[in-house]
Amino acid sequence: IAEGIWYPKGGFNRVLQSLETIAVKYGAKFNYNNDVQEIIIDDKGVAKGIKLNNGDVVNSDIVICNADLVYAYNKLLPKTPYAEKLGNRKLTSSSISFYRSMNQIIPQMSVHNIFLSEHYKPSFDQIFKDHTLPGSPSFYVNVPSRVDPTAAPEGKDTIVVLVPIGHITSNPDIDFDKLVERAREQVIDTIEKRLNVSNFKSMIDHELINDPRSWQNEFNL
Ligand SMILES: Cc1cc2nc3c(=O)[nH]c(=O)nc-3n(C[C@H](O)[C@H](O)[C@H](O)COP(=O)(O)OP(=O)(O)OC[C@H]3O[C@@H](n4cnc5c(N)ncnc54)[C@H](O)[C@@H]3O)c2cc1C
């Protein structure tokens, strides 16, 4: 931390692309857009390959799995008491994340911008005890285009807003569509008031969103 944070030009995905390029150079083959349905285990408990969603089986000497641990033990490997124990562990918070392309540079924003709730302690209780979006949420805004000119076209900004929220529970009263909408409004309102930016909303050209449902459904987290 004393030395700051290293940022890969082009974003973190560039690191993956570079690893892929090096691996391909050494003969690795990548198979994308095919979910693993199951890790095949022999009767001695040794992993022998994987079964894909399309039914294909890939036999191998070694299986390396870096999907989320709780998911992998509960969905990809045969059920065990250990998997069940993992599934009952206390989970950390989740997030609503907005990825925005802005139609202009927002000079009031630096590369890292932290907006703390005016009701700091209760806001964390709402995340970790009530598993919801705090009434007054804290949030973090990262502006990669402030340090990386490849992150946005000239004269524009790219921003990522991360709003911590409780993880998914069986509580039927939690309506994520409504919470995402409230988070969007509160983030815009706070940025406008605290940074003295007028009509921040109109500067948003395009927006992608991840919330606890997409972390679960698309990323198996
Ligand atoms: C909102 C959020 C913010 C974060 N912020 C930070 C941060 O600021 N700093 C930090 O250090 N860390 C942060 N993290 C954590 C960081 O993202 C993870 O620690 C890191 O991505 C783990 O890398 P990994 O390669 O082990 O797993 P992952 O990045 O999770 O990669 C696992 C891959 O496996 C794929 N996969 C899962 N299931 C299957 C399947 N059945 N078949 C095929 N593929 C599958 C997934 O699609 C994914 O691509 C954050 C995480 C989240 C969700």
Side-chain angles (χ1 to χ4, degrees), residues 52-135:
L52 302 177
N53 260 0
N54 64 6
D56 286 358
V57 168
V58 182
N59 296 309
S60 62
D61 297 329
I62 297 172
V63 176
I64 298 171
C65 170
N66 80 324
D68 181 71
L69 188 77
V70 180
Y71 162 80
Y73 267 90
N74 280 282
K75 302 283 184 192
L76 302 180
L77 288 163
K79 276 274 182 198
T80 58
Y82 178 65
E84 204 166 320
K85 208 168 116 190
L86 275 179
N88 292 332
R89 288 239 175 134
K90 209 171 166 184
L91 299 174
T92 188
S93 60
S94 188
S95 88
I96 299 174
S97 298
F98 300 95
Y99 312 85
R100 291 174 175 152
S101 46
M102 310 300 291
N103 61 20
Q104 63 177 83
I105 288 173
I106 297 122
Q108 293 92 331
M109 280 191 177
S110 181
V111 60
H112 302 291
N113 310 266
I114 297 175
F115 297 82
L116 294 177
S117 168
E118 280 156 9
H119 308 283
Y120 192 73
K121 170 83 173 62
S123 79
F124 282 97
D125 286 344
Q126 286 174 305
I127 294 172
F128 290 101
K129 292 186 180 159
D130 305 338
H131 306 295
T132 187
L133 177 70

Side-chain angles (χ1 to χ4, degrees), residues 34-36 66-67 71 76 95 97 162 215 218-221:
N34 247 327
D35 282 3
V36 175
N66 80 324
Y71 162 80
L76 302 180
S95 88
S97 298
L162 191 151
W215 295 125
E218 290 169 38
F219 298 91
N220 293 331
L221 291 174

